Amino acid sequence: MSTEEDTVQEKKTISLKTSDDEVFELEENVAMEFGTVKAFFGDDGVPRDMMMPIPNVHSKELTRIIDFCTKHLDLKPKAELDEAGKKELRKFYKEYMKEDTTERIMELILAADYLNVNDFLDLLNQTVADRISNKSVEYVRKLFGIESDYTPEEEEALREQYAWAFEGVDEDPAED
Amino acid sequence: METTSFTLFSSSSQTFLVALAFTFLSLFLAVRSRSSKPRRSQSDGGGPSSSGNEKLCNCCCHSNGVDATHLNGGTEKQMVAVTVAETTGASMMEQLVPEITTHALSYLDFQSLCNLSMTNSLMRKAANDDNAWKALYHKDFTSEQDSVNPVNGWKAYYAATRAIVNVNDQFFNFIRDRSLPEMRHLWLNADYVKCVHPSGEFFSGYTAVVRSWQLAFNWEQGVNFQVRDLCARVLTDIAWVTMKTYVGDHLDTGPFSVTNIFEFHNGRWYMVHHHSSVLDEVEHQNA
């Protein structure tokens, strides 16, 4: 455990203590990307040098979120400037989650949701959506490790019921 | 469920997973015990259903050809995911707290949402969420009808709307292809059907309407249509669709304002009314 919380206020850093008792010091502008942190400190009231506990986030996730926010903060203003900046931001989004397992993404979603990091949450959700887009039910099951509790008959009945989603031809509208 | 998962975050990930396992295993068992059907492992339904799903998948994938390799793709991810499932008895996806799941669902398209609901009964409950389908409806179709409360829920309404939009698209394809047999098949054989062509000519009754299309097909080359601003209102047996169309090879003729009305008989939608007229757009008016 480090006692970095006694840094002077002029450095403009915020201290967060994770579930595994690790203290992270981040620049204020990065920390303010976390909606939860922003709400905690508010405009006045809570002094900036107070350490904020985040018992629902593990240091592993926080490291990653900080990494994203720092890079994102750097790229976002460039993106608003010109087309090349936009392209770079898009590329960043595309590449950032490439190496992560779906399980890892889930863990990050939980952490990002707790910390209210909207941009990262958006990217995480979109990554998951892209991974299951145009895939079969079996693939989705395997990807998330979901075990089916349907009998073969139930599955068959369900597939018939949802045939409209895959063939897009005339279906009975009145029934669910 | 919510509080349990958050406090467990404080331990190391290994014990966290195991602890989470017991929490959700008990939840899972509680959910299952309500239904009397016996639980089948994945292997039982694996054989016939996987081939069935591949067949379905080929139908739904228009531009991207999907082959069996996608099942083998990302083996590392699968291995990790499967290991998690073995230790927890319930997947991470199912463990996400309700509001996160709802938010995550809003990123899916309708096919993914259906796929998810077919994975197991727990996911089905989540993926059939009415609000998720309402949001999807507004995203895919129209932002209108926000205050509407469909009788069978938004998922069914979405399905019905998609069906009508497909029939509507087919109508324009029949015109483009100048296919009289299909046009005859689409219209309801009744004396109250009506058709108003952009020329202003009005036809009433099945025979007259079909003949008007025959004449149109004889005179004109197949035309290209671009449909915009489509709004569909679907009720149990009747649906009406309004739209704007641009016509021609360069889509430079128009816009036309089109209204189509359909009735549902014998398991399919029939056209009973078509009205197309020139749309007076204020910007194009010459003073």
Side-chain angles (χ1 to χ4, degrees):
Chain A
M1 261 213 291
S2 47
T3 42
E4 288 160 356
E5 63 242 37
D6 45 314
T7 37
V8 191
Q9 212 163 353
E10 64 193 14
K11 260 185 97 177
K12 282 198 174 260
T13 58
I14 301 249
S15 301
L16 302 173
K17 184 167 168 188
T18 62
S19 56
D20 49 328
D21 285 335
E22 251 200 69
V23 180
F24 284 74
E25 241 194 61
L26 14 160
E27 285 175 37
E28 188 174 326
N29 61 339
V30 177
M32 286 308 168
E33 289 283 292
F34 304 176
T36 318
V37 173
K38 199 165 173 189
F40 181 80
F41 287 102
D43 285 327
D44 14 284
V46 183
R48 291 291 197 273
D49 56 357
M50 172 155 177
M51 183 169 62
M52 176 179 172
I54 41 172
N56 300 324
V57 185
H58 192 273
S59 58
K60 209 165 50 143
E61 272 76 56
L62 186 61
T63 314
R64 194 59 192 282
I65 296 179
I66 293 174
D67 179 66
F68 173 86
C69 286
T70 321
K71 292 191 174 129
H72 189 245
L73 265 178
D74 183 49
L75 287 170
K76 213 155 78 155
K78 289 187 202 159
E80 283 163 19
L81 226 52
D82 58 15
E83 192 56 43
K86 282 202 186 80
K87 238 176 119 180
E88 219 191 311
L89 186 64
R90 276 200 296 266
K91 186 160 172 264
F92 169 69
Y93 284 147
K94 228 175 104 179
E95 306 285 311
Y96 193 71
M97 301 307 302
K98 239 184 174 172
E99 298 303 316
D100 295 279
T101 65
T102 312
E103 187 207 341
R104 184 91 184 93
I105 296 181
M106 297 304 188
E107 285 168 1
L108 286 168
I109 288 179
L110 277 164
D113 178 76
Y114 177 75
L115 290 172
N116 221 329
V117 190
N118 289 323
D119 287 323
F120 197 27
L121 200 53
D122 188 55
L123 176 64
L124 291 166
N125 279 319
Q126 191 59 54
T127 310
V128 174
D130 291 341
R131 283 192 187 176
I132 65 173
S133 163
N134 274 348
K135 297 287 196 291
S136 71
V137 179
E138 276 306 308
Y139 183 87
V140 176
R141 278 206 190 107
K142 281 211 187 78
L143 191 70
F144 293 130
I146 298 173
E147 259 197 67
S148 170
D149 55 348
Y150 293 131
T151 64
E153 297 83 37
E154 284 173 318
E155 272 214 49
E156 189 55 49
L158 272 178
R159 236 178 295 122
E160 264 183 57
Q161 193 186 74
Y162 297 143
W164 65 267
F166 304 102
E167 292 168 300
V169 189
D170 308 341
E171 287 303 310
D172 183 348
E175 280 157 26
D176 194 344
Chain B
M1 179 168 108
E2 216 173 321
T3 24
T4 330
S5 70
F6 280 155
T7 49
L8 285 165
F9 255 106
S10 53
S11 41
S12 74
S13 44
Q14 196 69 343
T15 34
F16 142 65
L17 280 173
V18 174
L20 208 48
F22 284 106
T23 317
F24 290 99
L25 195 56
S26 46
L27 174 75
F28 208 59
L29 289 168
V31 169
R32 279 196 307 109
S33 66
R34 260 186 246 137
S35 68
S36 51
K37 298 259 164 62
R39 180 180 177 166
R40 294 276 186 272
S41 71
Q42 215 173 355
S43 53
D44 280 358
S49 64
S50 60
S51 50
N53 280 329
E54 273 166 39
K55 181 156 87 87
L56 274 176
C57 203
N58 286 330
C59 293
C60 81
C61 305
H62 315 289
S63 43
N64 319 317
V66 175
D67 47 29
T69 54
H70 72 246
L71 286 173
N72 301 322
T75 35
E76 195 197 339
K77 295 179 211 158
Q78 280 172 44
M79 272 162 50
V80 176
V82 170
T83 330
V84 170
E86 283 171 47
T87 49
T88 62
S91 70
M92 276 233 67
M93 187 67 175
E94 293 157 292
Q95 292 160 12
L96 292 182
V97 291
E99 64 245 24
I100 303 183
T101 316
T102 313
H103 184 64
L105 290 179
S106 68
Y107 288 81
L108 301 180
D109 61 16
F110 72 95
Q111 282 149 342
S112 295
L113 211 50
C114 279
N115 269 339
L116 205 60
S117 70
M118 288 201 273
T119 51
N120 76 2
S121 54
L122 208 65
M123 290 316 304
R124 188 180 176 195
K125 273 199 205 86
N128 278 351
D129 176 54
D130 214 40
N131 285 319
W133 284 97
K134 182 173 180 192
L136 199 55
Y137 180 90
H138 289 312
K139 190 160 77 166
D140 287 353
F141 296 124
T142 167
S143 56
E144 290 177 0
Q145 304 186 52
D146 191 56
S147 52
V148 160
N149 231 331
V151 173
N152 295 312
W154 277 97
K155 183 172 187 178
Y157 198 62
Y158 185 98
T161 308
R162 190 147 281 277
I164 274 292
V165 168
N166 287 332
V167 175
N168 197 60
D169 285 342
Q170 280 172 5
F171 167 71
F172 287 108
N173 290 340
F174 298 160
I175 301 179
R176 188 194 59 206
D177 302 338
R178 294 191 295 156
S179 170
L180 191 63
E182 288 183 301
M183 189 59 87
R184 292 174 63 109
H185 183 65
L186 178 65
W187 281 85
L188 183 69
N189 192 340
D191 59 358
Y192 57 81
V193 304
K194 297 177 177 62
C195 184
V196 184
H197 290 286
S199 56
E201 290 170 286
F202 169 87
F203 299 95
S204 181
Y206 182 73
T207 320
V209 168
V210 168
R211 202 181 309 132
S212 75
W213 285 110
Q214 188 175 25
L215 281 169
F217 293 165
N218 284 340
W219 274 111
E220 293 166 27
Q221 297 288 73
V223 283
N224 260 334
F225 284 93
Q226 192 195 69
V227 175
R228 290 193 213 163
D229 303 340
L230 190 144
C231 293
R233 180 92 179 102
V234 186
L235 304 165
T236 320
D237 295 326
I238 196 155
W240 52 282
V241 189
T242 57
M243 69 219 87
K244 232 160 64 165
T245 59
Y246 290 86
V247 186
D249 281 331
H250 304 285
L251 301 171
D252 49 2
T253 312
F256 295 95
S257 176
V258 178
T259 304
N260 289 333
I261 305 183
F262 302 89
E263 276 184 18
F264 195 79
H265 299 279
N266 304 324
R268 73 169 179 101
W269 288 104
Y270 288 83
M271 184 169 269
V272 294
H273 188 99
H274 167 76
H275 187 140
S276 177
S277 54
V278 174
L279 180 63
D280 241 349
E281 276 188 328
V282 183
E283 311 97 23
H284 294 155
Q285 262 181 347
N286 293 321

